Amino acid sequence: MNRASRSRRALRALALWPETALRAAPGHTALLAVCVTVQAVAAPAQSFGLARLLDGVTAHDRPRISVGAAVIVAALLGVAVVNAFSLLLESGLYDRLHGHVHRELLRVNSLVPGIEHHEDPAVADRLSQVRDDVEDMAHSALYLMAPIATAVSTVTSLGLLASVHPLLLLVPLFGLARMWAATRAARLRQRSVEEGAARGRVHRELVRTAADPAHGIELRVFALRPFLLRRMERLAAELNGMQRTAFRRGGRAEALTVLAFGLLYAASVVFAVALAREGRITLGQVALVVTLTPAVQGIVASLANSMSTAGNMARVFGRYRWLRDYAEDAARRAPTGPAPTRLAEGIALRGVGFRYPSADRPALSGIDLDLPAGATVALVGENGAGKSTLVKLLAKLYSPTSGTITADGADLAAVAPDAWRARLSAGFQDFTRFEFTAGETIGVGDLPRLGDEPALRGAAARADAGPLLERLPDGLAQRLGKRFKDGADLSGGQWQRLALARAFLREGPLLLLLDEPTAALDPEAEHALFARFADASRAAARRTGGITLLVSHRFSTVRTADLIVVMEGGRITERGSHEELVAAGGRYAELFELQARAYR
Ligand SMILES: Nc1ncnc2c1ncn2[C@@H]1O[C@H](COP(=O)(O)OP(=O)(O)OP(=O)(O)O)[C@@H](O)[C@H]1O
């Protein structure tokens, strides 16, 4: 990308800075801008007042003395009032922007229909950077005030200095060199942050793994803490090294310009005194130079800071803008076709292949499979065979890299992902532990029925979670999660039953995806649960043609399915009913026999 288009992009990103503040809290932003303007004018106004006062005293000019004193007092009072008021405004502005940014990121993230973007390391790094930028974005309205203040005080102070002698404008002009050095230093620092993004992500992941109580047991059993610590230290040392180099390179030029600026500043005071000795300027004007020049130094410093803040904000909002464009583009490209309301024939996969963006081998190849309407289909196969990948393709979380999936002949590629997912329900082995109330934990499986107590109890009963609800002191209203004082903690199996109840809440889904959702239950409990569920869902399946796709390693459950599909290395190797597959004497029969023997 050339320099012109880079600048255009930076300017577009920069425009989002005030736009975001004004959209989140227009009143607060405008009032705070007025406050900082008053604060910025106050210092030069006091210098001006002092000059008037001194000249009035030397010339015995009483009106001039009064004007000088009035300007000083007004500036002092104005600052006092505005300081008190802006404290209140600042916290309100931060809170509003913080809420706005979180809502906006959630909105933007939910525009992306699939989860492929999490697999692309470049996209994942940028997403992680945007998440890290949230605090900067939440503070951005406050950061915006510094450039406003700087602009106002630059104009007033430079105007006053030029009124004494135009040559004095050389001092702030030299300040531009300082600004260049500060901007370059900030750019180097930022570049080192971006270059270290991948390492930073791994480091954060390691910290999360080490600190998450969920991993506490394995960390202790395998004595993993020192191992994790060594990895973290190595990554931290690499990151620190990159940052140190950037700081050193940027800092040297910045220090030199600070020194040179100080020397020029001293020269300007000597120059003003010389002018006064020749009678070309008044005593008040000397005082103006002496008191304003330190302020000018401050202004130049804040100009440099504002430039570096603006550079930082251009990058922060640039990344956010990229995410927004990416998500809006993904949403625009997503199909919009309607989803079927019932299935007469079923779902057909033809020549379906899939390769994860980061993988060099396909996870699925040449899958030809018919899932008949109303059937219960079990997927079996060893770890890594491709079962979960197939489930994710059916949920439209990924799109096949080759082949087609059709529902009653209609290509799923043309169906809006949200519309299709509204017809699905799903339960996974690595389910989410929503730390809401027990009722809500089930109810999020079908948001319109979040508060429908009979429906929640029905789903809980189908997942055999009824006795669990009875044992909870507040029943459906019981808060879950040990992080809350009144929260009940559940065992892995209990959490899993609630997740299963969530999957069973939606009435008559066209496709119920159950990817080892009962792995934490014992085989008998799993078998009993599915036998009961199959009875209960048969009537609904007849009505809507809904298909249940179950992934399980438990053959006592698998054998009850209408159709069993065996997968190996991303391909289907066998299919049929339990009896057919056992009679065929293939891999299924072998695995079934092995497991049956273990239970005898
Ligand atoms: N996000 C991913 N990125 C890259 N490769 C992946 C990803 N997820 C899975 N794979 C690979 O795809 C292949 C199929 O994995 P999948 O999870 O579908 O297997 P599975 O049959 O469900 O296994 P399990 O019984 O262990 O759950 C494996 O080789 C796995 O390493």
Side-chain angles (χ1 to χ4, degrees):
M1 193 189 311
N2 64 23
R3 186 181 277 262
S5 60
R6 249 204 324 267
S7 309
R8 251 197 320 275
R9 257 180 48 167
L11 280 178
R12 275 179 56 215
L14 216 49
L16 268 181
W17 183 13
E19 188 189 314
T20 307
L22 283 170
R23 248 191 313 138
H28 280 66
T29 308
L31 278 175
L32 201 58
V34 171
C35 288
V36 298
T37 303
V38 172
Q39 285 163 334
V41 165
Q46 282 180 52
S47 294
F48 173 77
L50 182 68
R52 289 257 131 182
L53 191 71
L54 287 177
D55 287 344
V57 170
T58 27
H60 302 292
D61 180 346
R62 292 177 70 169
R64 201 180 274 198
I65 294 174
S66 306
V67 169
V71 170
I72 293 174
V73 172
L76 285 173
L77 282 179
V79 166
V81 171
V82 152
N83 278 353
F85 191 48
S86 54
L87 273 182
L88 301 175
L89 282 174
E90 279 175 15
S91 68
L93 185 53
Y94 172 81
D95 290 344
R96 276 159 200 253
L97 205 66
H98 195 261
H100 173 82
V101 166
H102 276 285
R103 278 194 304 278
E104 188 60 13
L105 283 181
L106 208 63
R107 181 190 73 81
V108 166
N109 270 313
S110 62
L111 287 177
V112 186
I115 55 174
E116 267 129 339
H117 57 293
H118 290 298
E119 309 289 340
D120 180 340
V123 175
D125 279 347
R126 299 189 85 159
L127 278 176
S128 137
Q129 278 175 359
V130 174
R131 273 193 291 272
D132 289 348
D133 287 339
V134 165
E135 270 310 301
D136 266 350
M137 285 170 75
H139 279 105
S140 64
L142 300 178
Y143 296 157
L144 185 62
M145 298 304 144
I148 294 177
T150 307
V152 172
S153 46
T154 306
V155 171
T156 41
S157 303
L158 295 197
L160 286 174
L161 272 187
S163 74
V164 177
H165 196 288
L167 259 185
L168 289 169
L169 290 183
L170 275 180
V171 186
L173 257 188
F174 191 76
L176 291 177
R178 254 209 76 183
M179 271 169 48
W180 164 81
T183 320
R184 177 172 169 270
R187 199 175 54 237
L188 287 172
R189 279 197 295 273
Q190 186 64 30
R191 199 181 299 156
S192 89
V193 169
E194 277 166 12
E195 281 167 3
R199 285 184 183 81
R201 193 154 59 92
V202 177
H203 188 265
R204 276 192 299 281
E205 198 51 39
L206 287 173
V207 172
R208 202 184 58 73
T209 307
D212 191 338
H215 308 313
I217 297 178
E218 288 202 44
L219 291 181
R220 282 179 180 78
V221 170
F222 300 118
L224 290 181
R225 281 194 201 281
F227 166 77
L228 290 181
L229 213 62
R230 271 198 304 281
R231 285 203 163 180
M232 279 193 256
E233 278 167 0
R234 200 176 57 228
L235 278 169
E238 283 170 14
L239 282 169
N240 285 345
M242 288 166 76
Q243 271 165 17
R244 254 200 317 275
T245 314
F247 272 68
R248 232 191 346 258
R249 280 180 53 204
R252 241 180 265 140
E254 214 179 352
L256 266 177
T257 52
V258 169
L259 183 68
F261 182 78
L263 292 175
L264 196 67
Y265 166 36
S268 72
V269 176
V270 173
F271 175 61
V273 171
L275 287 177
R277 282 180 63 179
E278 289 169 17
R280 288 164 60 190
I281 63 173
T282 64
L283 175 63
Q285 285 174 306
V286 175
L288 202 61
V289 173
V290 173
T291 54
L292 260 191
T293 330
V296 168
Q297 195 184 12
I299 289 170
V300 173
S302 55
L303 214 56
N305 281 340
S306 295
M307 290 287 286
S308 108
T309 307
N312 190 34
M313 286 295 110
R315 277 178 287 273
V316 164
F317 281 99
R319 287 192 284 261
Y320 163 64
R321 181 162 212 134
W322 165 85
L323 174 65
R324 208 177 68 173
D325 291 350
Y326 176 86
E328 283 172 356
D329 185 49
R332 241 191 326 273
R333 278 189 292 115
T336 53
T341 49
R342 59 184 312 280
L343 288 175
E345 298 159 26
I347 295 175
L349 293 92
R350 292 289 173 267
V352 169
F354 180 73
R355 189 164 64 80
Y356 285 97
S358 58
D360 44 18
R361 280 188 311 127
L364 295 176
S365 327
I367 303 284
D368 287 317
L369 178 64
D370 286 304
L371 306 172
T376 299
V377 181
L379 272 185
V380 292
E382 283 161 9
N383 295 129
K387 305 178 296 294
S388 299
T389 306
L390 192 57
V391 166
K392 287 178 201 156
L393 291 194
L394 286 167
K396 270 178 84 76
L397 292 172
Y398 296 102
S399 307
T401 26
S402 59
T404 56
I405 305 178
T406 55
D408 274 0
D411 196 343
L412 270 197
V415 175
D418 285 350
W420 178 240
R421 286 185 209 134
R423 301 260 178 261
L424 308 178
S425 197
F428 299 99
Q429 182 180 7
D430 42 359
F431 54 88
T432 303
R433 295 177 186 213
F434 289 108
E435 295 193 344
F436 305 149
T437 65
E440 287 167 342
T441 302
I442 300 172
V444 291
D446 192 13
L447 283 175
R449 297 200 295 165
L450 188 64
D452 183 342
E453 209 171 293
L456 298 177
R457 290 195 186 281
R462 286 194 286 283
D464 211 5
L468 163 65
L469 288 183
E470 270 162 38
R471 247 176 287 133
L472 293 174
D474 289 332
L476 282 173
Q478 175 67 51
R479 174 161 290 287
L480 303 178
K482 57 185 166 205
R483 275 181 297 175
F484 299 99
K485 200 155 73 60
D486 54 348
D489 193 28
L490 305 180
S491 70
Q494 289 171 329
W495 273 113
Q496 197 157 47
R497 279 189 196 278
L498 292 186
L500 201 58
R502 180 158 71 236
F504 290 162
L505 179 62
R506 195 165 270 176
E507 262 182 356
L510 293 190
L511 185 58
L512 175 61
L513 297 164
L514 299 171
D515 189 352
E516 298 186 59
T518 44
L521 308 186
D522 56 66
E524 287 92 49
E526 180 185 286
H527 177 70
L529 198 146
F530 279 113
R532 202 155 358 100
F533 165 71
D535 284 344
S537 65
R538 213 153 270 145
R542 264 198 301 274
R543 203 166 10 92
T544 61
I547 300 165
T548 299
L549 184 71
L550 166 73
V551 178
S552 175
H553 291 284
R554 309 256 180 72
F555 285 82
S556 51
T557 305
V558 169
R559 63 181 298 174
T560 60
D562 305 316
L563 171 68
I564 298 164
V565 178
V566 184
M567 293 187 69
E568 219 175 300
R571 293 178 180 278
I572 295 177
T573 50
E574 292 168 44
R575 71 188 80 197
S577 68
H578 171 73
E579 290 70 27
E580 286 164 359
L581 291 177
V582 169
R587 184 76 180 136
Y588 177 85
E590 194 184 320
L591 292 171
F592 175 74
E593 181 53 28
L594 265 177
Q595 215 172 74
R597 212 180 299 148
Y599 282 103
R600 265 179 217 138

